[in-house]
Amino acid sequence: MKTYFGVISGQMQETSKEKICSTESVNRQGSLDSSKEDDNATLVLIFTLCNVKKTELSKAARVFEMFETEVHHFETRRIKKLKNSADDFDVFVECEVHSADISHLITSLKRITEDVKIGKEEKVLWFPRKIQDLDKCHHLITTYEPSFDHGHPGYTDLEYRKRRAYFADLAYNYRVGDPLPNIEYTAQETATWREVYRKLRSLYPTHACTQYLDAFQQLEKYCGYQEDNIPQLQDVSRFLKETTGFQLRPAAGLLSARDFLASLAFRVFQCTQYIRHFSSPTHSPEPDCCHELLGHVPMLANKEFAQFSQDIGLASLGSSEAEIEKLSTLYWFTVEFGLCKQNGSIKAYGAGLLSSYGELMYALSNEPEYKPFDPEVTAVHPYQDQAFQPVYFIAENFEDAKAKLQNYAMKIKKPFSLCYDPFTSSIEVLDTPQKVKREVSRLKEDLKNLCLSLDNLS
């Protein structure tokens, strides 16, 4: 079944902010059609032709020709109102015209047609339409990398920096469809993994949510999760693909919020393969394989949580910088540092908690403040990326959190709606009546199959 994201049309806001931690990446700005010139505008026109004959239709066509309009879509629909004659039609046109000619084009159309309505296409930031486009989503935030951050534990370790460059090259050269890189980890890297794995595993039975524990047990059984073995992405990705449809791809480091969230829309998790510096096994200033494999992967094996993650990704596509900031904050307080209620207790489901021994202990102590998860409040709440969180948001359950997030996403203003097609791993922009009708037909088929299934069970 497809995933849909409807939105309310409106003016886009543009700011320079972007965060999961901070931003140094270059944002790519364009429109739904990146080939458009800056002095051109895409218009959606709807007008009525009464008592249509060949001459009326040709007159309308000549107006578009006169202003050298590039017509992308032209559709006529018979008006069904009884008071109209059988020869009255509504005409839907999507076209591109020079901005200076818009008013003249509209005036000319009004002379020969009735009820001219115009909608100007809003410019939005580029976003991936198919899974292959994720090869372009690799812009890094370099603030916490060992080559740039003087406070990074590996800053003065040239061997470690050389090793990190090796992992970065693997990620940059990866393309959709390639086998995931198989890594021969060193004895020192495995020793760091062992220390982290052993300490965290001792806390999971009392601190992690049930969904995490169930998945972690399966990962130990099928994906080589052991204290003396760092799992390979290929094995883990295969497991996720079979359980929730998620898959992994290698990442060179901390990605920009826009690129990272866009990947989630396709059920792709960008995953680092390097490990934190051996001198600081209990803390890493940036994501590493301990954080990804121990924190994120088990929860991505849960279907409800996987859908929650994809919903955040879908909401990010084409969103303004201000909305990306809010969505990345939502991601921070849920996917990274979320808590939930289970059997009268508070349990952790956030990857930032489940990969940090110290903060996992702290988050479930009496020290921090707890607040109920409300996307409107959570999205604008300040957060800490260099210390423990003073406030954590608690979800009643994943189903409730997912419903609240979807309601929040519906309020994000965009000039279009989206549909994710899992069969082709692509995004469809529902910007014409034909596309909407096609998706409605597919939904009807899905509902028909579900009704048949219910009949078979009764």
Side-chain angles (χ1 to χ4, degrees):
M1 187 173 292
K2 292 192 173 186
T3 302
Y4 296 83
F5 249 77
V7 291
I8 303 170
S9 298
Q11 182 67 35
M12 300 289 289
Q13 299 181 39
E14 293 190 14
T15 71
S16 61
K17 294 182 180 178
E18 174 165 275
K19 73 180 182 184
I20 279 183
C21 289
S22 64
T23 181
E24 294 183 2
S25 60
V26 178
N27 297 316
R28 296 156 294 176
Q29 186 169 347
S31 65
L32 289 179
D33 180 355
S34 59
S35 65
K36 295 186 178 79
E37 299 292 339
D38 290 340
D39 55 355
N40 281 5
T42 297
L43 302 179
V44 175
L45 298 167
I46 299 176
F47 53 87
T48 302
L49 288 175
C50 298
N51 299 315
V52 174
K53 299 177 182 178
K54 289 183 179 179
T55 53
E56 278 75 16
L57 197 57
S58 63
K59 285 179 183 178
R62 278 200 296 271
V63 171
F64 291 100
E65 184 180 0
M66 180 171 59
F67 292 99
E68 298 180 342
T69 306
E70 183 178 346
V71 177
H72 300 308
H73 184 81
F74 191 100
E75 179 179 342
T76 60
R77 287 172 288 182
R78 190 183 301 276
I79 296 175
K80 295 182 180 179
K81 295 179 181 178
L82 294 177
K83 66 179 182 180
N84 294 100
S85 71
D87 294 321
D88 288 3
F89 287 84
D90 276 341
V91 182
F92 174 93
V93 182
E94 182 182 7
C95 61
E96 184 177 339
V97 65
H98 196 283
S99 298
D101 292 333
I102 293 176
S103 60
H104 303 297
L105 173 67
I106 302 304
T107 301
S108 299
L109 279 175
K110 285 181 176 179
R111 292 195 185 109
I112 59 172
T113 66
E114 295 182 8
D115 196 26
V116 178
K117 298 176 183 177
I118 176 175
K120 185 176 179 180
E121 184 180 55
E122 304 292 344
K123 283 194 172 184
V124 298
L125 292 170
W126 178 91
F127 62 87
R129 301 292 192 88
K130 52 186 184 295
I131 197 169
Q132 289 80 4
D133 291 340
L134 297 184
D135 290 339
K136 305 172 187 176
C137 296
H138 50 60
H139 294 82
L140 290 182
I141 296 172
T142 59
T143 306
Y144 304 105
E145 288 202 337
S147 299
F148 300 96
D149 180 11
H150 290 231
H152 193 288
Y155 179 73
T156 60
D157 188 337
L158 296 181
E159 282 300 314
Y160 180 77
R161 289 170 60 172
K162 182 180 178 181
R163 180 72 165 160
R164 286 290 299 273
Y166 164 75
F167 283 109
D169 285 342
L170 289 177
Y172 285 133
N173 291 320
Y174 178 83
R175 296 293 180 268
V176 169
D178 290 349
L180 289 165
N182 190 80
I183 305 299
E184 291 188 21
Y185 288 100
T186 66
Q188 188 175 71
E189 288 169 336
T190 304
T192 301
W193 166 269
R194 182 189 306 115
E195 184 172 350
V196 175
Y197 190 93
R198 189 178 292 169
K199 290 190 71 173
L200 285 170
R201 197 180 188 286
S202 69
L203 281 185
Y204 290 156
T206 54
H207 289 64
C209 66
T210 302
Q211 291 86 343
Y212 181 93
L213 295 175
D214 291 343
F216 193 81
Q217 185 180 30
Q218 295 297 303
L219 289 163
E220 286 190 317
K221 184 176 181 180
Y222 297 112
C223 296
Y225 271 55
Q226 302 168 17
E227 63 180 46
D228 292 320
N229 178 67
I230 302 176
Q232 296 293 334
L233 292 197
Q234 187 68 51
D235 297 330
V236 177
S237 186
R238 188 184 302 113
F239 173 81
L240 288 177
K241 187 73 173 176
E242 292 174 356
T243 53
T244 63
F246 254 89
Q247 56 188 305
L248 306 179
R249 68 171 289 153
L254 181 63
L255 297 176
S256 72
R258 184 176 293 279
D259 283 357
F260 180 78
L261 294 177
S263 302
L264 296 178
F266 295 83
R267 295 210 170 202
V268 172
F269 185 83
Q270 301 236 25
C271 186
T272 57
Q273 290 185 282
Y274 59 81
I275 197 165
R276 60 195 62 181
H277 196 263
F278 68 90
S279 67
S280 182
T282 59
H283 173 72
S284 175
E286 56 185 337
D288 72 331
C289 67
C290 293
H291 173 72
E292 321 281 37
L293 296 173
L294 297 177
H296 284 290
V297 166
M299 291 307 303
L300 289 173
N302 176 266
K303 290 184 178 180
E304 286 185 348
F305 186 82
Q307 185 63 58
F308 179 88
S309 299
Q310 185 183 27
D311 286 345
I312 294 180
L314 287 166
S316 76
L317 298 181
S319 286
S320 67
E321 296 301 319
E323 293 297 345
I324 289 291
E325 182 174 344
K326 292 178 182 178
L327 287 168
S328 64
T329 303
L330 272 173
Y331 184 90
W332 182 269
F333 281 115
T334 54
V335 179
E336 291 290 355
F337 292 95
L339 298 174
C340 63
K341 295 180 180 179
Q342 282 190 346
N343 300 321
S345 301
I346 304 297
K347 299 293 183 180
Y349 70 87
L353 297 175
L354 293 163
S355 61
S356 170
Y357 183 88
E359 187 153 9
L360 184 55
M361 293 276 287
Y362 165 82
L364 297 182
S365 69
N366 295 323
E367 294 185 51
E369 179 184 356
Y370 292 156
K371 291 185 177 182
F373 175 61
D374 177 353
E376 298 285 351
V377 175
T378 307
V380 295
H381 196 281
Y383 68 83
Q384 268 289 343
D385 60 6
Q386 294 298 301
F388 293 166
Q389 306 303 308
V391 175
Y392 296 95
F393 290 88
I394 302 177
E396 291 294 324
N397 51 63
F398 292 141
E399 190 63 37
D400 180 67
K402 184 175 67 175
K404 288 178 177 177
L405 174 67
Q406 289 172 342
N407 289 335
Y408 175 86
M410 292 293 292
K411 299 175 186 177
I412 296 177
K413 293 183 179 180
K414 300 179 194 175
F416 54 85
S417 296
L418 298 175
C419 167
Y420 174 71
D421 187 342
F423 303 109
T424 60
S425 297
S426 62
I427 300 292
E428 182 83 55
V429 177
L430 303 179
D431 53 1
T432 69
Q434 282 182 324
K435 290 181 180 179
V436 175
K437 288 178 181 178
R438 187 165 61 244
E439 297 309 321
V440 169
S441 296
R442 290 177 180 174
L443 274 176
K444 287 180 179 178
E445 286 299 314
D446 288 337
L447 288 172
K448 181 180 178 181
N449 290 332
L450 288 173
C451 289
L452 288 173
S453 298
L454 285 172
D455 289 340
N456 291 334
L457 292 173
S458 60

